[in-house]
Amino acid sequence: MLRENYYTWQCGEHEISLVRPRIMGILNVTPDSFSDGGEFSDPQVAIQHGLDMLDAGADIIDVGGESTRPGHTPVSAEEEAKRVVPVVRALAEAGAVVSIDTRHASTAKICVRLGASIVNDVTGFTDPDMLDVVANSNCGVVIMHWNETSGRSSRKSVTLDTARGPRRLAPSNRRFTLPEEGPILREVMGFLGDQARTLMRAGVAHERICVDPGPGFAKTTDEDVVIQRNMRKIVSMGYPVLEAVSRKRFVGAVTNVKEAQERDAATVGMCLQAVANGARILRVHNVGMAAQAVNAFLSVGQRDDRQAFVSLGSNVGDRLGYLRRAAQLIDQLPLTCVVSVSHAYVTEPAYGIAAPVANAVAEIRTELAPVVLMRNLLEVEDALDRVRKPGEEGHGPRTIDCDLCWVEGESHAGPLLTLPHPHLGERDYVLVPMEDLMSDPVRFLTHAGVEVAPVEERVGHVLADLGPIEWQ
């Protein structure tokens, strides 16, 4: 597997690390998309599906209001905006990284103003108006290739000189199973490179640009296979590459799967091959399946341990015992170890909690994806008999509370997990314990983009030091 992919993709206010592949969940708010048309045409249903995809492991939500399937009926910019605006607005307000999948400059402009961080243009920014929209914003861009010259490449017959020793055999004609690579790659990579340079001349920074070879867009199955087999060459162009094969017709063709919704396993197979060859963004319908596959693939394919901090709190029973046991259970999680644990501190109740809390912070290293780690931490809480009463979420009594506060190189939004933790910079009961783990946590977090409140403006102030936690 390639390990050179330490670059980032700058998308508005979001700097997306590409050390690990990122999953872009497809959210079609259209009545006629090829695999899920009509399922999410209701804005509230679409918004909820977007939030569900975030919890399933999506890093980006790609919202589209016009089908681009073969034989699609184009829609006006006004109709497209009517479909996508409520969804983009709600997901952006929830903190998600939102991509708008559109060929209309007016739709892109509205959605960027509402908080979309990426413009994904199937026409590759060939429209000057679309070029102006992204040049006058700081959003990320996806340049896609749409093959307007499909049919030029074809299977080639060649004559092989099969000389053996002094005797020359009669030449034989052989047919290749796939078309010649050169013309196809020159067309695709040439267009993507030209459009990237056009964007940069217009003022779009290199680090904002991602490329997509456009599988299925007026390409034959054989052409798409050639492109997929040469993913490493496309990656060598120096831009993040988006793999967008999800449920496409050619995926069904090479596996003989007729129904689009049944092509998810085949999609994942192609995505893993693309990841192995350097693709870093996977655009998929079935986020949960793709996330499981990628996480499993990475767990045995590469080492990628990250620093992270978990805030621990208890205000029921043997508080120090619960803190100690939580640290021990976290240390037993797969691909995870506890590096150190701060002292325990008595802190003022905050956020509606009635009784003083015993708090500590654990520094860990982990190779688990953040959403996977969060689910494991919830299981630690369950193992220590955490009770979650309806109406007392976040402020009820608890044997243990495990808050994932920060993970190196990671940001996320969703009902299950937000990174960095949205209240991290105001919590004295996290910041003071972190002083046991590093010399200057305020400077550390500020450098990581977390706004830290002055001491007098914080909540949950530390009252007393309860000493070290013997967790080892």
Side-chain angles (χ1 to χ4, degrees):
M1 175 181 291
L2 295 180
R3 291 294 290 123
E4 304 89 58
N5 298 290
Y6 290 100
Y7 48 80
T8 59
W9 185 20
Q10 191 67 46
C11 301
E13 301 302 317
H14 302 277
E15 185 176 272
I16 302 174
S17 168
L18 299 178
V19 173
R20 70 175 178 89
R22 300 294 168 171
I23 294 177
M24 176 185 280
I26 299 170
L27 183 52
N28 290 319
V29 289
T30 60
D32 57 344
S33 292
F34 75 97
S35 78
D36 55 4
E39 288 188 38
F40 309 113
S41 53
D42 180 284
Q44 293 308 312
V45 174
I47 292 164
Q48 185 58 54
H49 183 58
L51 295 173
D52 291 343
M53 287 195 289
L54 292 170
D55 281 356
D59 301 284
I60 303 164
I61 305 298
D62 190 43
V63 181
E66 178 183 37
S67 173
T68 50
R69 63 179 174 81
H72 72 280
T73 301
V75 301
S76 67
E78 292 76 14
E79 176 60 27
E80 181 187 47
K82 181 180 177 182
R83 295 173 180 178
V84 302
V85 161
V87 181
V88 169
R89 178 190 287 117
L91 293 176
E93 288 177 351
V97 180
V98 179
S99 167
I100 178 63
D101 180 359
T102 182
R103 61 184 177 86
H104 294 116
S106 60
T107 301
K109 185 174 183 178
I110 293 170
C111 291
V112 168
R113 191 173 69 244
L114 292 173
S117 302
I118 301 166
V119 175
N120 180 7
D121 182 6
V122 296
T123 63
F125 298 93
T126 53
D127 177 1
D129 291 337
M130 183 69 88
L131 189 63
D132 287 342
V133 170
V134 296
N136 289 294
S137 75
N138 63 353
C139 63
V141 300
V142 179
I143 306 169
M144 198 200 78
H145 175 267
W146 192 333
N147 193 3
E148 299 295 340
T149 58
S150 180
R152 285 187 179 179
S153 300
S154 61
R155 289 183 175 85
K156 302 295 184 183
S157 295
V158 299
T159 301
L160 300 179
D161 184 359
T162 55
R164 294 183 181 176
R167 180 172 174 237
R168 299 181 69 85
L169 300 179
S172 61
N173 290 330
R174 299 203 180 166
R175 285 173 56 79
F176 291 108
T177 58
L178 289 173
E180 187 179 352
E181 294 177 358
I184 297 171
L185 296 178
R186 282 194 295 271
E187 163 68 24
V188 173
M189 295 172 66
F191 174 83
L192 296 175
D194 287 347
Q195 291 308 108
R197 286 186 288 272
T198 297
L199 283 162
M200 286 188 284
R201 284 194 295 269
V204 177
H206 185 286
E207 57 267 24
R208 292 168 53 192
I209 298 173
C210 173
V211 297
D212 171 8
F217 279 79
K219 299 176 179 69
T220 68
T221 294
D222 286 351
E223 288 169 338
D224 279 323
V225 171
V226 166
I227 291 167
Q228 294 301 307
R229 288 185 180 180
N230 286 277
M231 183 61 67
R232 191 176 290 260
K233 293 178 181 176
I234 298 171
V235 170
S236 73
M237 296 176 66
Y239 304 97
V241 176
L242 186 147
E243 170 77 344
V245 299
S246 187
R247 298 180 179 175
K248 293 288 179 69
R249 183 178 297 180
F250 94 94
V251 177
V254 299
T255 56
N256 196 31
V257 179
K258 307 300 183 185
E259 296 297 325
Q261 294 89 338
E262 297 177 6
R263 297 172 186 160
D264 288 333
T267 293
V268 167
M270 289 195 180
C271 286
L272 293 181
Q273 178 63 19
V275 168
N277 284 295
R280 307 316 282 172
I281 301 100
L282 308 178
R283 184 179 182 272
V284 297
H285 294 84
N286 192 328
V287 167
M289 180 182 288
Q292 284 187 34
V294 169
N295 291 337
F297 181 74
L298 294 178
S299 71
V300 296
Q302 71 179 50
R303 178 177 177 175
D304 182 28
D305 52 303
R306 317 284 189 87
Q307 182 185 36
F309 295 96
V310 181
S311 172
L312 306 173
S314 175
N315 67 346
V316 171
D318 181 6
R319 298 178 301 174
L320 294 182
Y322 283 123
L323 295 178
R324 178 180 66 253
R325 186 61 182 144
Q328 292 170 340
L329 291 176
I330 293 171
D331 192 50
Q332 295 171 16
L333 295 179
L335 299 175
T336 301
C337 70
V338 173
V339 176
S340 58
V341 180
S342 73
H343 284 203
Y345 294 87
V346 176
T347 64
E348 292 177 339
Y351 307 115
I353 295 175
V357 184
N359 284 107
V361 172
E363 178 186 354
I364 68 173
R365 294 203 72 85
T366 184
E367 297 187 46
L368 296 176
V371 170
V372 176
L373 175 59
M374 188 66 243
R375 294 190 186 281
N376 275 278
L377 293 176
L378 291 175
E379 290 179 0
V380 168
E381 293 182 356
D382 290 339
L384 296 179
D385 301 320
R386 167 77 183 265
V387 176
R388 302 176 182 84
K389 293 183 180 180
E392 293 186 354
E393 295 85 354
H395 62 266
R398 72 284 305 273
T399 55
I400 194 68
D401 186 40
C402 301
D403 275 344
L404 182 57
C405 294
W406 184 88
V407 180
E408 179 185 353
E410 295 288 346
S411 60
H412 189 77
L416 176 67
L417 174 66
T418 299
L419 284 176
H421 194 289
H423 301 296
L424 174 56
E426 69 182 28
R427 293 184 167 184
D428 201 55
Y429 60 84
V430 175
L431 297 168
V432 171
M434 284 185 70
E435 293 177 2
D436 296 339
L437 307 176
M438 62 176 63
S439 60
D440 193 346
V442 173
R443 181 179 179 182
F444 176 88
L445 292 174
T446 301
H447 180 73
V450 176
E451 185 175 347
V452 178
V455 174
E456 62 274 13
E457 296 178 11
R458 298 177 190 171
V459 299
H461 286 92
V462 169
L463 301 175
D465 185 342
L466 298 175
I469 298 171
E470 301 298 332
W471 61 274
Q472 290 178 307

